[in-house]
Every structure is written in C-alpha cells, then in structure tokens.
Amino acid sequence: MAHAAPVVLHAIGAITALLAAASAIVFAMTRLRPEKDYAELVRRTRSWWFLVALFAATLLANDTLAVVFMGFLSFLALKEFFTIIPYRRVDRRILFWAYLSIPIQFYWIATGWYTMFIIFIPVYIFFLVAGRMVLTGETEGFLKTTATVQWVLMITVFSIGHAAYLFTLPPLPGFEAGGRGLLLYMALVVQLNDVAQYVWGKTFGRRKILPSVSPGKTWGGFLGGLGTSICLSLLIAPLLTPMNFGWSLLVGACLASLGFLGDVTISAVKRDLGVKDTGTIIPGHGGIMDRIDSLTFTAPLFFHAMWYLYY
C-alpha cells in the first residue's frame, strides 16, 4: 500500500462501501420480490466485486506489477478479438507478431521510454505486420487482414497501454495522488458514465441515437450520462488530479463523449461479426472488451491531456 497515496486508499474504501450498499439493495430486492428474476443483476453485482478487487489490487501494487497486469489485460483483449474475428490459415503467421508486440510495448511503458512507447505500435509493428503478410505470398485478402490486425492492435495494445503508462507518472507538488490518482479518476468517470447512460436511458430515453448500431443507446441516456460524468469529474478531480475547475469540466465532458464513441464502436464491430459479446470471461458483462470498450477511446485522450498540461 506504500505505492498508493492516502487519497487513493480513501477512494478505494469509498468505492467498496458503495458497492456493499448496492449489493445490500440487490439482496433486499431478491428477498422482497422473489417472483422476479434478478439472476442477471446478481451476476453483474458479483462480477463488480471481482473487478473492483482486481482494480484495487493493481492500484496498490508496485509500478512493475501494475504494468505487468495491464499487459496481461491487453493480452486477454487481443485474444478475445482474434477468437471472434474470422481469419485464414495463412493469416496465423502474423498473429504471432501481434502477440509478441505486447511484452515489448509494455516494457517501454515499465521503463518510461515515452518515445518508443508512442511509435512502436503505429510505426514499427504496423510495418512489420504488413511486411510479414507480404512474405506469405498471398495477395487475396491482404488489405483486409492487414488493416484488421493493425486496428485491433491499436485498441487492445496501444490504447490500453496509455492507461498503463499512467502508473509511471510521478506525484507533482501539491498533487500527491500521482499516476494512480489519474487512473482512478479516469476509470471512475468512464465507468460511471456507462452506468449512468444505462439508468438515464431506461428512465427517460425515448429517441435512439444509433438504432442500427446499438438500439439501447438514446439521447436521454447520453445526455444524462454526460451530465452525471461532468458532476462526478468536478467532485473528484480536485482530490485525484491536478486539474482546476475549467479543465475538470472539459475533461469530464470529453471522457463521457469519447467513452460513448468507444462503446458504440465496439458495438459496431460485434454487429459486423454477428456476435453479442466479445467473450464470456466476466459473468453478466461478457468479455474483457465489453467491459473496457469505453477506455479504448478515452485512455489515449486523457493520458496525452495530462502529459501535455502537467508533465
């Protein structure tokens, strides 16, 4: 726990208390109305306990272990995509290099080598994937396979890597939470935005935003989530980040908006592939990507905003 500032420990305690209260409410609902089926809600609540415990353990670990865990998360996300994406036998020859990019990319992160971190995937690995595909001698489907692997690497390795890089950012004068505080802030705003969009959408949602992509997304849910995220950002940013009121307002709005885009982008991918979820590893939530889809768009933006403004 020496790796986490007191404010981060207090935030973890508050999250645990809120989850305990939510679990008590779910338990009461199952007892008071036994005729209703709350199995899905119960599974989701249990999964949240596991996810929160895992996230808390990562925040409390030292920098190296935290980055290793994020690398493993990236591996699981990449594996999920390669499981649901159809590919030919010849395409397998480039999957090895895609997987190999993970330990190398997260080594740059662990050592704090920003320059290599920022160019390794979108320059060297992209060229390597295209070059290795050419060497197979197969031209049919070349563009589709190469572009698919490159895009999947961007969202599962490069994007998640930005969240991992936050662990390497040190505390600043007057800002003791450091990179762990930044990661906790981003995760809270983005995840609550997902929950708030669902609740507001179920309560006031009427007009659908993208019915052909994600029929459950409504303008009521999006605007409700946006307002909730901004309020949360203004509330916790002074505790977990060095941002002032203006930046807290702007970043909170950007995280909510980009989180929505990340969510519907993965929804479009799943519809294109004809699958409901990217996996089944998290009961009630689907796969890893189903849970972190919003972070694929928000993590790079948030990291570079903090890097530019304060580091």
Side-chain angles (χ1 to χ4, degrees):
M1 293 187 181
H3 304 285
V7 65
V8 174
L9 298 178
H10 296 156
I12 293 174
I15 294 170
T16 304
L18 288 173
L19 187 55
S23 299
I25 293 173
V26 171
F27 178 77
M29 291 169 61
T30 60
R31 295 297 181 181
L32 294 174
R33 304 188 66 180
E35 72 280 2
K36 294 201 66 174
D37 183 12
Y38 291 107
E40 182 70 13
L41 185 59
V42 171
R43 283 195 297 270
R44 282 178 171 264
T45 304
R46 290 174 179 172
S47 293
W48 270 116
W49 275 109
F50 172 75
L51 294 172
V52 168
L54 203 58
F55 184 55
T58 305
L59 290 174
L60 298 177
N62 62 41
D63 292 350
T64 301
L65 287 177
V67 172
V68 168
F69 170 77
M70 295 298 288
F72 182 65
L73 183 69
S74 182
F75 165 77
L76 292 177
L78 182 64
K79 185 174 182 295
E80 276 188 354
F81 260 112
F82 285 159
T83 299
I84 62 176
I85 292 175
Y87 56 86
R88 302 160 302 171
R89 181 179 297 273
V90 68
D91 298 336
R92 296 180 182 178
R93 300 177 187 180
I94 65 172
L95 300 189
F96 168 78
W97 300 104
Y99 282 116
L100 183 62
S101 71
I102 296 175
I104 300 175
Q105 175 74 347
F106 281 83
Y107 172 77
W108 308 138
I109 295 172
T111 57
W113 194 349
Y114 176 81
T115 303
M116 282 302 296
F117 157 73
I118 210 66
I119 68 172
F120 180 66
I121 295 294
V123 178
Y124 296 118
I125 292 299
F126 276 23
F127 286 165
L128 177 62
V129 166
R132 185 64 186 89
M133 189 62 195
V134 166
L135 293 178
T136 64
E138 181 63 59
T139 58
E140 183 179 354
F142 170 82
L143 182 60
K144 179 180 179 180
T145 299
T146 302
T148 297
V149 173
Q150 290 174 339
W151 187 81
V152 170
L153 282 171
M154 282 295 290
I155 62 171
T156 62
V157 182
F158 193 61
S159 290
I160 295 176
H162 284 81
Y165 207 109
L166 291 172
F167 281 108
T168 70
L169 301 183
L172 298 173
F175 170 53
E176 63 174 4
R180 284 169 171 75
L182 295 176
L183 180 61
L184 183 56
Y185 161 84
M186 180 183 68
L188 286 174
V189 173
V190 171
Q191 293 301 319
L192 183 66
N193 178 61
D194 289 346
V195 175
Q197 281 190 27
Y198 176 81
V199 173
W200 286 107
K202 288 293 185 181
T203 307
F204 299 106
R206 296 293 183 272
R207 186 177 177 184
K208 299 183 183 300
I209 300 180
L210 295 168
S212 62
V213 176
S214 184
K217 301 292 185 183
T218 64
W219 280 105
F222 171 72
L223 295 175
L226 178 65
T228 302
S229 297
I230 290 174
C231 291
L232 179 65
S233 176
L234 294 175
L235 178 65
I236 66 175
L239 302 174
L240 298 172
T241 79
M243 292 189 293
N244 58 26
F245 178 87
W247 282 116
S248 300
L249 179 67
L250 179 60
V251 171
C254 288
L255 288 178
S257 301
L258 287 176
F260 170 81
L261 286 177
D263 189 352
V264 295
T265 297
I266 301 303
S267 294
V269 171
K270 290 187 290 187
R271 284 194 171 272
D272 184 33
L273 296 174
V275 297
K276 181 179 183 296
D277 298 313
T278 59
T280 59
I281 193 172
I282 308 175
H285 293 272
I288 295 294
M289 286 304 303
D290 294 306
R291 189 63 272 152
I292 65 172
D293 49 9
S294 301
L295 291 175
T296 60
F297 276 43
T298 55
L301 167 95
F302 181 68
F303 170 82
H304 289 293
M306 295 301 100
W307 181 269
Y308 174 77
L309 291 173
Y310 304 107
Y311 289 92

